[in-house]
Every structure is written in C-alpha cells, then in structure tokens.
Amino acid sequence: MNYSKPQIQVTTSLMGNGIPRSDANDSVIGRKCNYRICHLSKYYPPMRGGIETHVQTLARAQADLGVEVDVFCVNGFDQRGEPSLRTKTIEEEMDGNVRVTRFGRLLSCARFDLCPELHKGIDKLVNESNTIIHLHTPNPTMLIALLMFGQRVPIIITHHSDIIKQQILKYALRPIEYIIYSQASQILATSSQYIEGSKFLGHYKNKLDSLPLGLDCSKYMRPDKASLNYAESLKQKYDTPIWLIVGRIVYYKAIHIAIEALKLVPGTLIIIGTGSLETELKEQASQLGLEDRIVWHGKASEQELIGAYHAATALWFPSNVRSEGFGLVQLEAMASGCPAINANISCSGVPWVSRHEKEGLTVPINDSTAFAKAAERILYEPGLRHRLAQASRKRALDFDHINMAKQSLEIYQKVLTNEYPDFCSSG
C-alpha cells in the first residue's frame, strides 16, 4: 500500500471550562510534519460503544483535516453482519476517508481476542516510515500485540478508563500495561478529573494530559426527517414522559437503580442497548410490577437513537463506578436538547460533562430516591427542563469534534518535534 504524506499545520488555544479549542487565527506551530496515524481500537462501528464511537469520530475528523488515517480493530461480525466469536479479516474497508482493517478472530476469552493476522498487520505498520500509533485502552488484544515490537514508532495512548471490577484481568494485564505505557510518548485521559482518581496513571505524571472526547453535534441538533418521525412515533406509542437510557446493559451502568427510581415517577423507561444483565434486570422489573413501563429496545439505528433523544424528557445516566470515565452518550443527549440526570462518580468525568444545575442534575451514586426526585424536578419545576436543555446544547458545542481532532494533531506534533525530529522538517 502506498501512502501519501500530507503536511499538517495545526493551531490551538484554550476556551472556557478547560476544554481545548483550535482556531486558524491563533498562533501557528512553526513546523510541518509528514505522518500517518493508525488508531488501535478494540472494535469499530457498527459495533457500538463509547470507545468505538470516539475512535470513529476522531479518525473521521482527522481525515477531514487532510491527514492519512487508518484504524486497526477486531472484526466482531460474520459475513452476514451478525455478531460472531469466529470471524475473518476484512482489509482496507473505507469509512469515508478512513481506512479500516478489521482483523478476524479465532476466539474471544476474558476480553482478549485471538487474531492470528494481527501480528503481521502491526509488524508492517511499525516498519512503515512516519507512522504514529494511537492506542485506545482498556484493550488487552492490542496491548499484547504491541508488546512484541518494542518502541519503534511514536505511541500515543488514550486511557478511557481503569480496569475496575475484573481483578484477575487487571493484575494479569498490569505488567504489559506498564511496559507499553512506559514506551508511550504521551498518555491522554478524557478529563483532568479522571487523572486525579487513577492510581495507575499516577505512575506517568510526566507524560499525562487530557483530551476530552468530541462529538459532531450537527446531526443531533438538526435531526433529519426520519429521526423526527421516529421521535413522534415513540411519543404516540408510549405513555409520557419518556425517560431514556442508552448503553450496554452491564454492571457499571447501574440500570437497577433506574428501575427502582421508575417506581416513584410516572412515564415510560426506554432502554437502548444490549448486555449480559438484561435477563436479570427484566426479572427485577417484573418483581416490581414495572414490566409494562419499560421498553427493552435493544439495538438502534442512528436515526432511531437520535429520535429517542428528541422524544425523551431526560437521559437517565445512573452509572456508579469509574469504569464510566466520561459518558459520551451524555453529549449526544445534550446536543439533542435532552438534559441528563447523572450520578456523582468520584474522580470521573461524568459529572463534569453534564454539570449539576447547569446542564443537568447530579445525584449521589446508588440512590434511586434521589434519582426519582431529580426526575420529578425536571418534570414539574417550572422552566427547569427548558433551561437545562438550552444550556446542554450550548455545552455540547464546547466538545466539537473538529476542535478535538486539531488538538490531537497538536499533541502528535509536539511529540514528534521533541522526541522524533526526523519526522519533522522546518516549515
């Protein structure tokens, strides 16, 4: 494969709230670099998840700025497009201007995917001139793959969250993490709040920075007709108000708290997502007599998701541990004018993204009564929902995806200038 080497100039500044912002009128970095970026992700859309959505948004935005961008990930789908544990490699699939290579897997166990062709792919990658690797963690598969190659190219890591519950995985992976994180030129958290609470990241204070996740707000702020029609269909079909949960149905999402809160407020709870706890939570809903007031939506198309945000009175986001480092779906809801009720997870970016009494309401973790009272406030307190919705839209614009991409390019350029001067030439 022949790769062109575009010349990149990036300028950045800081805006309010500590969020990086880029502007072509700001001071220009005086050097130009020729490089190619390869993101190492666990999976990639249509596989849904916060990391997957972020990698796609960042890669697309970087490519729109004229950079050569690739994504390496595990292929989670069979030839029919159905989720599968045994898959084949799909090379150079184009997602707009982003090249995506999905590596086939033989098996998946304890969050590790065995991908026979991944070693060959990364070997070729690290031997390509002017390549930057951007690794997204937690990601056991890519961490172990990188272990075999040493420090041949610049490595940037976005640390999306610590490993919290999976203690065996955590300590089995820790020696490998130490090696790769020590080799990395820069480690990025998604908020400064997360850095403060991570004992693991504390080992790398000299190379830590934060790069908040970004969002293309336009499709949420200006939904198409199909999305609006779907929003209207939800309001016609289900008793209002509509409360919305979006995400995997797993332990740290604390959906059981939302189900308990639903006992205390009117309306319908729509849950978009799938996961291992679905059967258990359906049993909880049945025991509480709430089975007719909860819609287990499962997977949703982009238009259905946007429509759900526009139909909902509020997003319920009761996640209760630091496995939830940011909460990208909060931004999606906020851009749609749907305020969030979140939980005050200590040293997580969640309550920083949607701030208490500013864009949303924040309650103590694991407190279904407080959650219900916050929902009642949004429902009954005059003017509150309108104020929060307006502020949410404005706040979402602070996390513009193009600004995020420009800031990432500035980070790369600083690394190359300081540590890999052969990548760069004077402008």
Side-chain angles (χ1 to χ4, degrees), residues 344-358:
N344 192 22
I345 307 170
S346 177
C347 296
S348 167
V350 168
W352 169 73
V353 173
S354 176
R355 300 168 297 182
H356 184 52
E357 296 287 358
K358 292 184 177 181

Side-chain angles (χ1 to χ4, degrees), residues 21 29 57 68 126 139 244 253 257 268 279 333 415 427:
R21 179 173 183 173
I29 297 174
T57 300
E68 197 81 23
V126 299
N139 192 341
L244 181 65
K253 297 295 184 179
I257 299 297
T268 302
T279 300
V415 166

Side-chain angles (χ1 to χ4, degrees), residues 205-219:
K205 291 180 180 178
N206 63 326
K207 57 176 73 176
L208 275 177
D209 203 347
S210 62
L211 180 64
L213 307 188
L215 184 72
D216 179 357
C217 294
S218 58
K219 56 191 174 185

Side-chain angles (χ1 to χ4, degrees), residues 33-53:
C33 292
N34 304 326
Y35 53 79
R36 164 194 171 206
I37 303 162
C38 186
H39 293 278
L40 303 185
S41 180
K42 291 194 296 186
Y43 306 106
Y44 193 79
M47 188 77 80
R48 293 199 66 86
I51 293 178
E52 290 75 22
T53 300

Side-chain angles (χ1 to χ4, degrees), residues 10-21:
V10 183
T11 60
T12 64
S13 62
L14 288 177
M15 66 187 302
N17 307 321
I19 300 170
R21 179 173 183 173

Side-chain angles (χ1 to χ4, degrees), residues 58-356:
L58 178 58
R60 284 178 170 180
Q62 290 172 334
D64 287 345
L65 293 173
V67 189
E68 197 81 23
V69 184
D70 285 77
V71 174
F72 282 9
C73 64
V74 176
N75 182 17
F77 298 96
D78 62 21
Q79 292 174 309
R80 298 170 299 172
E82 296 296 324
S84 176
L85 295 180
R86 291 178 64 91
T87 60
K88 295 183 178 181
T89 295
I90 302 175
E91 295 188 18
E92 293 199 21
E93 173 186 271
M94 296 304 297
D95 178 26
N97 294 319
V98 178
R99 268 186 299 265
V100 182
T101 301
R102 302 174 190 266
F103 289 93
R105 63 185 176 190
L106 285 179
L107 58 87
S108 181
C109 179
R111 298 183 180 270
F112 173 74
D113 296 298
L114 179 60
C115 303
E117 296 176 77
L118 181 58
H119 180 277
K120 181 180 178 181
I122 293 183
D123 182 57
K124 185 174 182 179
L125 179 69
V126 299
N127 285 300
E128 290 275 356
S129 61
N130 293 9
T131 297
I132 296 173
I133 289 177
H134 193 147
L135 171 66
H136 298 263
T137 63
N139 192 341
T141 302
M142 295 298 176
L143 275 168
I144 293 171
L146 281 179
L147 185 64
M148 304 177 187
F149 296 100
Q151 196 170 2
R152 296 196 212 169
V153 298
I155 298 174
I156 312 296
I157 298 174
T158 294
H159 183 92
H160 290 262
S161 75
D162 295 339
I163 298 174
I164 304 296
K165 184 179 180 181
Q166 300 90 350
Q167 293 298 307
I168 294 176
L169 175 64
K170 174 181 177 178
Y171 290 109
L173 200 61
R174 188 51 45 90
I176 299 172
E177 285 182 318
Y178 278 133
I179 293 171
I180 301 302
Y181 277 62
S182 296
Q183 292 174 351
S185 298
Q186 186 82 62
I187 300 168
L188 306 171
T190 57
S191 70
S192 59
Q193 288 79 3
Y194 206 89
I195 293 174
E196 294 171 5
S198 175
K199 182 179 178 181
F200 174 71
L201 289 180
H203 295 288
Y204 308 100
K205 291 180 180 178
N206 63 326
K207 57 176 73 176
L208 275 177
D209 203 347
S210 62
L211 180 64
L213 307 188
L215 184 72
D216 179 357
C217 294
S218 58
K219 56 191 174 185
Y220 299 95
M221 291 184 168
R222 296 181 292 278
D224 60 22
K225 184 176 180 180
S227 298
L228 292 176
N229 286 343
Y230 191 71
E232 189 60 32
S233 72
L234 291 177
K235 288 187 281 188
Q236 293 293 327
K237 187 174 183 180
Y238 301 113
D239 291 339
T240 57
I242 290 174
W243 312 108
L244 181 65
I245 288 177
V246 179
R248 292 188 300 141
I249 304 176
V250 293
Y251 80 96
Y252 67 85
K253 297 295 184 179
I255 296 174
H256 65 287
I257 299 297
I259 293 174
E260 291 174 5
L262 187 64
K263 292 188 303 180
L264 306 174
V265 295
T268 302
L269 176 61
I270 298 178
I271 301 174
I272 293 179
T274 61
S276 58
L277 294 183
E278 184 170 340
T279 300
E280 178 182 323
L281 292 171
K282 285 181 175 178
E283 178 61 27
Q284 178 195 6
S286 178
Q287 291 176 356
L288 294 175
L290 297 172
E291 60 266 42
D292 293 335
R293 295 181 54 205
I294 299 177
V295 178
W296 302 89
H297 191 289
K299 297 177 182 178
S301 68
E302 184 174 80
Q303 289 174 326
E304 289 172 337
L305 177 63
I306 294 171
Y309 286 133
H310 281 267
T313 296
L315 176 75
W316 284 13
F317 201 73
S319 296
N320 59 1
V321 295
R322 294 180 63 257
S323 297
E324 194 75 78
F326 188 87
L328 187 60
V329 298
Q330 291 188 112
L331 278 186
E332 295 174 351
M334 291 160 67
S336 305
C338 176
I341 304 172
N342 59 29
N344 192 22
I345 307 170
S346 177
C347 296
S348 167
V350 168
W352 169 73
V353 173
S354 176
R355 300 168 297 182
H356 184 52

